[in-house]
């Protein structure tokens, strides 16, 4: 009985942390997606396409199609970082896109499916969902070195 209460408390704590990260990640998504560039926004589509859209007329400037069997990339899992765009999909992969050439320059796998992301100068922080046999069994927050893709913690 004690172990199940402790497990429940841990799950509630992890859910609370993930919700906070989603809210914070949403703030950063708003800041970087809609304030980061004056003339354009970036958005993801269910077909796995990242698009750069002209804010003045809604026209597509360029697009990048992810090579993945998992196709969903949502706007709150897109981070602008100078000339680089990090996108994360439900396949557990973070892709690093050069926004000038529209090319994927790197990709790395995470230890779960990312639900939200934010970054600082050296790291990407992600709330990831952990699944087993297609059932969600938990979640955690991870830190990733953005230059190497290695999980720091």
């Amino acid at each position: 009985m004690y172990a199940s209460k402790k497990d429940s408390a841990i799950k509630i704590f992890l859910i609370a942390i993930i919700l906070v990260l989603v809210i914070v990640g949403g703030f950063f998504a708003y800041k970087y997606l809609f304030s980061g560039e004056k003339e354009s926004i970036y958005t993801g589509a269910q077909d796995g396409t990242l698009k750069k859209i002209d804010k003045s007329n809604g026209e597509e400037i360029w697009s990048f199609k992810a090579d993945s069997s998992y196709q969903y990339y949502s706007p709150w899992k897109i981070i602008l970082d100078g000339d680089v765009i990090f996108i994360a999909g439900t396949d557990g992969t973070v892709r690093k896109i050069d926004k000038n050439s529209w090319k994927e320059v790197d990709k790395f796998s995470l230890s779960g499916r990312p639900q939200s992301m934010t970054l600082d100068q050296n790291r990407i922080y992600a709330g990831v969902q952990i699944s087993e046999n297609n059932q969600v069994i938990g979640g955690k927050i991870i830190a990733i070195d953005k230059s190497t893709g290695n999980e720091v913690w």
Side-chain angles (χ1 to χ4, degrees):
M1 182 85 177
Y2 176 75
S4 67
K5 285 183 180 180
K6 183 178 178 182
D7 289 343
S8 294
I10 290 170
K11 286 179 183 176
I12 290 170
F13 175 75
L14 287 173
I15 290 168
I17 293 292
I18 289 171
L19 286 173
V20 168
L21 191 58
V22 167
I23 291 167
V24 171
F27 167 76
F28 281 100
Y30 173 80
K31 179 179 174 189
Y32 287 101
L33 291 176
F34 301 107
S35 301
E37 291 190 358
K38 294 179 182 173
E39 296 85 26
S40 59
I41 60 171
Y42 295 86
T43 188
Q46 284 189 318
D47 67 353
T49 304
L50 171 68
K51 296 181 179 196
K52 182 176 182 179
I53 306 295
D54 184 310
K55 285 174 32 176
S56 68
N57 58 22
E59 290 183 17
E60 183 178 303
I61 298 169
W62 61 256
S63 66
F64 166 81
K65 176 81 166 139
D67 176 25
S68 174
S69 60
Y70 291 91
Q71 297 299 313
Y72 187 69
Y73 287 84
S74 62
W76 55 86
K77 291 181 271 180
I78 300 171
I79 301 175
L80 301 181
D81 187 27
D83 287 335
V84 173
I85 304 166
F86 292 96
I87 58 173
T90 56
D91 62 350
T93 301
V94 173
R95 289 172 169 79
K96 189 175 180 179
I97 312 300
D98 181 297
K99 77 178 192 181
N100 297 313
S101 69
W102 318 336
K103 305 274 188 228
E104 182 178 294
V105 294
D106 200 4
K107 69 179 175 180
F108 40 91
S109 297
L110 304 180
S111 59
R113 292 183 176 178
Q115 303 300 304
S116 62
M117 295 191 317
T118 191
L119 64 89
D120 65 17
Q121 288 184 333
N122 302 312
R123 294 180 179 170
I124 296 171
Y125 301 92
V128 296
Q129 173 185 340
I130 309 299
S131 299
E132 189 175 283
N133 298 323
N134 291 322
Q135 296 293 318
V136 176
I137 60 170
K140 65 180 180 176
I141 309 296
I142 58 174
I144 306 136
D145 182 306
K146 69 181 187 181
S147 62
T148 66
N150 295 329
E151 285 189 24
V152 178
W153 48 261

